Amino acid sequence: MCGTCGCGGAGDSGGGTRIAVPSADDGAPADGHTRDHAHDRTDGRAHGHDHPRPHAHVHPGDLDRPRGHPYGSPYEEDGSGPADRTPLPADRAFPEGPVRPGGHVPADTAGGVTVSVEERILAKNEDLAARNRSWLAAHGIVAVNLMSSPGAGKTTLLERTIRDLAGRRPVGVVEGDQETMLDADRIKRAGSPVVQVNTGAGCHLDAEMMHGALTALSPAAGSLILVENVGNLVCPALFDLGERSKVVIISVTEGTDKPLKYPYMFAGADLVVINKLDLLPYVDFDVARCTAYARSVNPDVRVLTVSATTGEGMDLWYDWVAGQY
């Protein structure tokens, strides 16, 4: 089951979150980290999982307590990690306080106020998101959360953005998918540091996953962090990651009426990007009507039209990104 909103169904049987950095090859990891192994958890249970390929990784919730596990992140709470892992400088240390393992909300005490599970879960997420936001702001880092249906062209837009902004600004990427390192490998080839978050049965990223990804990524001050959320237009809208802005990407190969069918996603967006303009002559998509629908649920939202494939309109996207600093 999805550890946060419960919309999945695998749970400890294999659906847990995994955070990984793409490795250079598929050989055995240098640190001896085995592919099949189990982890103890602070809630008294344990979970096991296998890795499709060797990788250095961190686990959400593990980053603020000392563990004997040889994670690939340079971060060690007490600074006593392996000699080849340098702790982050003090001025880049992550926000104080423990991050609890995901998805566990204490029960109300007898006679207490009854609060819906959804409110409790989102309140926990918002607390963690606020810590992420404070840390990012303190280091002059702008994070942009990109959300869309599968296939809208997020990864292609990221690849072109990384190449076009090379030399202008450091760019890091947090990739969210249920499985595989495929998109992370594409981003790495484009030239950007990247961390892959595999959510298993989960359908979205949350603030705790973002915390783990940022710690593994260790971005430089002033970076642009582009977050490619898991592809769907429902649950990602509910979970604040601590980002500066939310961007919804829709392609002309989708329905013009998407903003009306998924109003919560579009209502919370700072920007709507209509992608794949190069395909517009071949499909039945009305840009003006889609724009009007988006503004019917979010009157102030800005709308850009681009083709990440040809580069048409991308300068407007870069201008918008620059305006976030």
Side-chain angles (χ1 to χ4, degrees):
M1 177 177 290
C2 173
T4 306
C5 71
C7 56
D12 287 345
S13 63
T17 301
R18 303 187 303 277
I19 299 178
V21 177
S23 58
D25 57 60
D26 289 326
D31 62 2
H33 191 146
T34 58
R35 297 187 185 191
D36 302 311
H37 60 273
H39 299 273
D40 294 330
R41 292 164 48 152
T42 55
D43 58 5
R45 295 186 295 164
H47 75 273
H49 61 258
D50 65 287
H51 298 285
R53 56 188 299 176
H55 60 264
H57 70 196
V58 293
H59 290 237
D62 290 348
L63 301 174
D64 292 320
R65 59 180 186 271
R67 307 267 298 217
H69 195 87
Y71 295 144
S73 167
Y75 179 85
E76 295 287 350
E77 180 181 273
D78 60 0
S80 60
D84 61 344
R85 296 188 174 91
T86 305
L88 288 176
D91 64 347
R92 294 177 62 192
F94 219 68
E96 296 179 354
V99 175
R100 296 182 295 274
H104 303 288
V105 180
D108 286 326
T109 56
V113 176
T114 299
V115 181
S116 75
V117 172
E118 179 180 352
E119 290 173 341
R120 295 289 296 271
I121 290 172
L122 292 179
K124 172 179 180 270
N125 186 79
E126 288 167 3
D127 176 62
L128 296 174
R131 292 172 52 195
N132 290 343
R133 197 180 336 274
S134 295
W135 186 87
L136 291 165
H139 297 83
I141 298 171
V142 168
V144 178
N145 184 8
L146 304 178
M147 299 170 286
S148 78
S149 301
K154 294 192 301 297
T155 310
T156 300
L157 184 141
L158 289 176
E159 290 175 306
R160 180 174 282 275
T161 300
I162 290 164
R163 294 188 177 107
D164 289 351
L165 294 186
R168 290 196 245 172
R169 185 180 300 283
V171 179
V173 175
V174 176
E175 276 288 346
D177 277 308
Q178 288 192 313
E179 296 293 342
T180 84
M181 298 283 288
L182 294 173
D183 285 351
D185 289 339
R186 287 176 60 182
I187 295 301
K188 184 180 178 182
R189 288 194 294 271
S192 173
V194 56
V195 169
Q196 177 75 52
V197 180
N198 287 131
T199 59
C203 58
H204 59 88
L205 299 180
D206 63 28
E208 186 169 356
M209 298 174 193
M210 181 72 168
H211 175 197
L214 288 172
T215 305
L217 193 61
S218 187
S223 293
L224 170 66
I225 300 299
L226 298 172
V227 181
E228 182 172 359
N229 215 314
V230 179
N232 79 75
L233 291 174
V234 183
C235 296
L238 300 176
F239 289 86
D240 185 2
L241 307 181
E243 72 276 52
R244 170 71 59 83
S245 302
K246 299 179 187 295
V247 176
V248 179
I249 300 174
I250 181 173
S251 70
V252 302
T253 55
E254 301 174 53
T256 297
D257 56 0
K258 278 287 179 66
L260 298 182
K261 297 170 72 174
Y262 300 94
Y264 294 104
M265 175 62 72
F266 286 83
D270 298 286
L271 175 71
V272 173
V273 175
I274 300 177
N275 190 26
K276 302 188 182 181
L277 276 186
D278 52 303
L279 300 180
L280 191 57
Y282 311 105
V283 297
D284 181 18
F285 185 91
D286 189 324
V287 172
R289 183 172 296 178
C290 182
T291 300
Y293 287 156
R295 289 179 174 151
S296 73
V297 298
N298 186 351
D300 298 324
V301 74
R302 186 174 177 186
V303 180
L304 299 180
T305 53
V306 308
S307 169
T309 299
T310 67
E312 180 181 359
M314 290 295 286
D315 284 343
L316 295 175
W317 159 245
Y318 301 142
D319 289 344
W320 182 87
V321 169
Q324 302 306 299
Y325 284 87

